Amino acid sequence: MKKHVLLISFLLFATVSFTQVKINKVEPPYWWVGMNSTDLQLLIHGDNISEYNLEIKNSQVKIKKVHQAESANYLFVDLTIPASVLAGKFQIDFKKGQRTVYTIDYVLKERRKGSADRLGATPADVIYLITPDRFVNGDPSNDEVAGMKEGLSRDEDFGRHGGDIQGIIDYLPYIKQTGFTSIWLNPVLENDMPEWSYHGYATTDYYNVDKRFGSNEEYINLGKIAYEMGVGMIMDIIVNHCGLEHYWLTDPPFSDWVNYQGQEENTFTNHRKYTVVDPYASNIDRKEMTEGWFVGAMPDLNQRNPFMSTYLIQNSIWWIEATHITGIRQDTYSYPFKEFMTDWTCAIKNEYPNFYIVGEEWVDSPALISYWQEGKNNADGNNSCLPGLMDFPLCFALHNAMQKDESWSDGLVKLYESIAQDYSYPDPSQLVIFPDNHDMSRIYTQVGDDFAKYKMAISYILTMRGIPQLYYGTEIVMSNTGDDSHGNIRSDFPGGWPNEEVNIPKKVGLSDEQAKALNFCENLLNWRKQKDVIHNGKLTHFAPYKNMYVYFRHTETESVMIILNKNKEKASLEIERYAEMLDGRSMGKDINTGKVFKLNTNLELDPMQAYIIELR
Ligand code: CA
């Protein structure tokens, strides 16, 4: 018996001494010196690593505490990185007694000059939203990646089509020339899921870009090239849920890492967003809203676990610092615990005071959406550092305005009343405004392929307060390719795949309507780029009158009169009704048509027309 024990001891000793310790992950994979916060927490994942003691020698970087998890395969290591530490490597030794059995070289990089002060998106921007898998396939060699669970299937609307980061790099000059100043990519992090992985919302690796889109280097390079062209980049991040194939699901560090972990039947979120703010909400409704899974393939992360919270916060800061991104779009903003969202936004703003973050809160209620914005004095004391939100109420109002005939309660009045509710928001100029996005029917479909209504909708979005966003292909009147299923909304950008006859940037193979739309957008977007009065001017609007909605954007020196005319016959605009905003100006020129108006007489307007009249 003793002999056996000795033999087993020897074998164990041999395993530890001569076999390398197997480390699967060290996250974040590197960090920086000179960050505002001197704290860093490493997640280390490896086979039975909890049995080792850790030590850092010959460095000012100190281990504050090592936390064991419930799984023996994790260690969470609290480090202090004093401001005086220089960029370079330090070593973390894994020790068994006095013996060092493994060493990690951890890299601290120098920060890029100006990184902390980077300017986020502003109302001077117009964002081009891209679904990377469906935009441009710039590198067919990454369409299939060995070892990944889903390959190419371009004929399936839910399959991967092969679009990638290289394609976006290739089309940046086109995006910039068309007049967009920022890009927002649907998520690009790894989604190694067996199906439906193209959309990117089921993260299986928080620190690596999906290889079918490219590499981290390519993504970082895209941001750098865009930055050098004066184009900003917004990263789509999801902290509410991950993908079911994430290794956390098979080896979670803690039993509360994921909400409703290990249950036999999924509990799904009830999507009752008001429960988060409702003073009368029941506990079960609140719990189901924030802890239920978004869908069966997307487990709900528990941000009340402090290690999860730190992991997600550091992950976002890592991507900001590693890239030139100017903003983050946070998916499903109200689904995680609201205390965590405050911690997350404020930690980012602590490092990057001018950075832009926009939250997705898909409801038709300025009262609810405004709850989340920084500066809102909420009765429950919750006050985040979130600069912006997606203006869904304005989007829905625009659909109504374009789809419904004019009446007391439908049509242009919806736009008027939506904007009138801006009193709810601490800062409405920071909202992202949009005619559609990747989750709803394309605007051209929504207006019934009606070119006049399309121009009216785009004219509205590009002259209203806030930060406009258009979905890729809107500039060439892309419509749904079938019903409103996601694949039909997120269809391939024409000419984005090899050997296609269409080439949009070169304006080859466009239909008359596509050419007219592109010309219209180019003209308006490039005009808007220069117009401080649209970016920062005040807004004064007039209640819709005789099927016309009139508003002015104005500064001390400039004024623009916007008219949305929904009359189906020629109409006369009674100019004296608007005298208070004309201030003695006598002439105006319409940006869309070039037509010159004299302001001393009623304006004769064409049917179904949007006018953007610069006053002189
Ligand atoms: Ca590709």
Side-chain angles (χ1 to χ4, degrees):
M1 188 64 191
K2 258 189 178 172
K3 259 186 186 171
H4 281 282
V5 172
L6 271 174
L7 183 63
I8 289 165
S9 302
F10 176 76
L11 285 173
L12 281 173
F13 174 77
T15 309
V16 170
S17 297
F18 304 114
T19 313
Q20 212 177 33
V21 175
K22 192 168 176 294
I23 301 288
N24 305 320
K25 296 271 182 193
V26 178
E27 292 176 335
Y30 53 86
W31 200 249
W32 294 268
V33 293
M35 300 296 282
N36 230 349
S37 168
T38 55
D39 293 334
L40 179 66
Q41 184 173 79
L42 301 181
L43 175 156
I44 307 179
H45 181 238
D47 297 352
N48 286 309
I49 56 166
S50 68
E51 63 190 71
Y52 303 106
N53 292 314
L54 304 192
E55 194 176 293
I56 296 175
K57 284 185 304 221
N58 308 321
S59 172
Q60 289 179 42
V61 177
K62 301 289 176 223
I63 293 178
K64 221 162 34 175
K65 190 167 183 189
V66 178
H67 306 264
Q68 299 215 337
E70 290 168 27
S71 160
N73 300 329
Y74 288 86
L75 286 172
F76 291 87
V77 186
D78 293 347
L79 300 177
T80 305
I81 306 169
S84 55
V85 174
L86 300 177
K89 279 183 191 171
F90 66 91
Q91 295 186 325
I92 306 172
D93 291 338
F94 283 62
K95 305 197 79 160
K96 192 93 190 175
Q98 291 307 304
R99 279 176 303 106
T100 298
V101 293
Y102 189 71
T103 298
I104 292 172
D105 283 328
Y106 197 81
V107 174
L108 292 174
K109 297 189 173 189
E110 200 79 55
R111 298 185 75 181
R112 196 174 61 246
K113 203 163 169 278
S115 174
D117 307 321
R118 74 183 74 186
L119 181 63
T122 73
D125 285 307
V126 178
I127 301 162
Y128 192 64
L129 166 59
I130 297 168
T131 301
D133 182 59
R134 305 297 168 84
F135 185 53
V136 178
N137 187 0
D139 181 5
S141 77
N142 62 20
D143 291 359
E144 300 267 4
V145 172
M148 299 204 76
K149 297 184 180 77
E150 191 179 15
L152 192 75
S153 53
R154 212 182 149 200
D155 50 346
E156 300 281 9
D157 67 0
F158 54 85
R160 297 195 77 99
H161 290 196
D164 48 38
I165 291 167
Q166 186 57 50
I168 300 168
I169 292 174
D170 295 345
Y171 270 52
L172 269 179
Y174 160 75
I175 293 167
K176 182 185 160 86
Q177 182 191 316
T178 306
F180 296 97
T181 64
S182 192
I183 52 175
W184 155 25
L185 278 50
N186 289 138
V188 294
L189 298 185
E190 186 197 271
N191 273 225
D192 195 8
M193 301 289 287
E195 56 180 6
W196 289 88
S197 69
Y198 77 94
H199 56 63
Y201 286 97
T203 314
T204 56
D205 185 333
Y206 277 86
Y207 281 97
N208 282 299
V209 165
D210 196 294
K211 291 191 183 74
R212 292 157 295 188
F213 290 144
S215 61
N216 281 11
E217 288 67 32
E218 276 180 273
Y219 181 66
I220 290 167
N221 197 32
L222 166 64
K224 184 165 180 285
I225 294 169
Y227 172 78
E228 284 163 359
M229 289 170 69
V231 174
M233 183 155 97
I234 293 170
M235 184 169 186
D236 206 324
I237 284 184
I238 313 111
V239 295
N240 179 62
H241 48 262
C242 66
L244 193 59
E245 298 293 322
H246 196 294
Y247 77 89
W248 285 339
L249 273 296
T250 46
D251 185 12
F254 297 95
S255 53
D256 68 350
W257 197 243
V258 165
N259 293 315
Y260 295 109
Q261 191 160 291
Q263 62 180 1
E264 289 203 348
E265 259 184 53
N266 287 327
T267 298
F268 294 108
T269 176
N270 55 20
H271 299 285
R272 296 288 181 198
K273 292 162 194 174
Y274 280 96
T275 58
V276 181
V277 300
D278 176 2
Y280 317 116
S282 63
N283 291 333
I284 187 169
D285 287 339
R286 252 187 212 147
K287 183 175 163 65
E288 282 180 3
M289 166 61 197
T290 49
E291 297 183 32
W293 289 23
F294 199 75
V295 293
M298 298 175 184
D300 197 70
L301 302 178
N302 177 21
Q303 304 87 5
R304 280 184 182 153
N305 179 306
F307 301 101
M308 171 63 83
S309 167
T310 301
Y311 182 91
L312 294 171
I313 289 170
Q314 287 182 170
N315 176 255
S316 296
I317 290 174
W318 189 87
W319 280 109
I320 300 172
E321 192 57 35
T323 66
H324 279 78
I325 59 171
T326 49
I328 287 176
R329 180 265 186 185
Q330 180 61 259
D331 188 59
T332 49
Y333 190 86
S334 58
Y335 289 75
F337 298 111
K338 63 182 173 185
E339 296 79 7
F340 167 74
M341 295 314 293
T342 295
D343 292 346
W344 179 80
T345 52
C346 296
I348 291 172
K349 295 294 274 188
N350 176 45
E351 295 288 351
Y352 309 93
N354 305 318
F355 193 73
Y356 185 69
I357 310 170
V358 55
E360 178 205 31
E361 173 69 319
W362 184 312
V363 289
D364 192 3
S365 164
L368 177 48
I369 294 174
S370 66
Y371 173 87
W372 299 108
Q373 195 176 34
E374 180 179 22
K376 181 86 175 180
N377 189 15
N378 290 312
D380 65 0
N382 186 59
N383 201 344
S384 80
C385 300
L386 180 68
L389 286 129
M390 293 290 174
D391 195 343
F392 280 96
L394 183 135
C395 172
F396 302 142
L398 182 61
H399 299 161
N400 182 296
M402 295 300 112
Q403 290 164 355
K404 297 274 175 84
D405 284 336
E406 290 300 289
S407 73
W408 176 254
S409 56
D410 278 320
L412 294 168
V413 68
K414 287 287 189 204
L415 290 176
Y416 170 74
E417 290 180 349
S418 185
I419 284 295
Q421 293 175 67
D422 273 5
Y423 64 82
S424 297
Y425 295 105
D427 187 356
S429 77
Q430 293 296 301
L431 303 177
V432 167
I433 58 175
F434 52 97
D436 65 9
N437 66 21
H438 57 292
D439 285 327
M440 62 178 79
S441 275
R442 282 181 170 275
I443 186 63
Y444 202 47
T445 301
Q446 300 233 23
V447 299
D449 290 13
D450 181 323
F451 198 69
K453 286 183 177 172
Y454 161 82
K455 285 200 294 183
M456 199 176 289
I458 303 303
S459 296
Y460 176 76
I461 289 292
L462 294 182
T463 54
M464 187 38 61
R465 59 92 182 117
I467 307 171
Q469 166 247 297
L470 299 182
Y471 196 30
Y472 75 95
T474 300
E475 74 279 17
I476 49 161
V477 287
M478 273 174 74
S479 47
N480 295 6
T481 52
D483 64 15
D484 63 354
S485 74
H486 283 164
N488 290 331
I489 296 162
R490 308 161 182 174
S491 54
D492 299 349
F493 191 73
W497 273 250
N499 308 317
E500 289 185 15
E501 284 173 14
V502 177
N503 187 313
I504 304 292
K506 290 184 178 156
K507 300 192 175 174
V508 173
L510 278 73
S511 69
D512 284 353
E513 205 156 62
Q514 286 176 324
K516 271 195 312 190
L518 187 54
N519 189 43
F520 165 78
C521 287
E522 267 180 349
N523 179 50
L524 194 46
L525 285 163
N526 283 293
W527 170 80
R528 189 192 187 280
K529 230 189 245 182
Q530 315 300 329
K531 289 295 154 186
D532 178 62
V533 64
I534 302 294
H535 311 158
N536 301 309
K538 290 181 178 159
L539 169 67
T540 303
H541 65 165
F542 294 74
Y545 180 73
K546 295 189 175 175
N547 306 331
M548 288 176 269
Y549 180 37
V550 177
Y551 56 94
F552 291 77
R553 303 298 311 273
H554 51 106
T555 63
E556 290 283 304
T557 53
E558 282 184 281
S559 185
V560 181
M561 178 186 194
I562 296 102
I563 307 168
L564 307 183
N565 173 29
K566 268 184 73 187
N567 285 293
K568 289 167 185 158
E569 311 290 333
K570 278 183 180 283
S572 185
L573 181 120
E574 297 166 26
I575 195 74
E576 64 271 21
R577 281 185 58 81
Y578 309 95
E580 65 184 276
M581 290 310 302
L582 294 175
D583 195 24
R585 295 174 197 267
S586 59
M587 303 264 290
K589 187 177 175 186
D590 174 34
I591 299 309
N592 282 342
T593 61
K595 187 173 173 180
V596 174
F597 289 95
K598 286 185 180 161
L599 303 177
N600 58 359
T601 177
N602 290 347
L603 308 189
E604 301 309 317
L605 305 179
D606 290 330
M608 292 301 297
Q609 190 73 244
Y611 296 91
I612 300 169
I613 304 172
E614 269 192 289
L615 303 183
R616 298 177 202 158

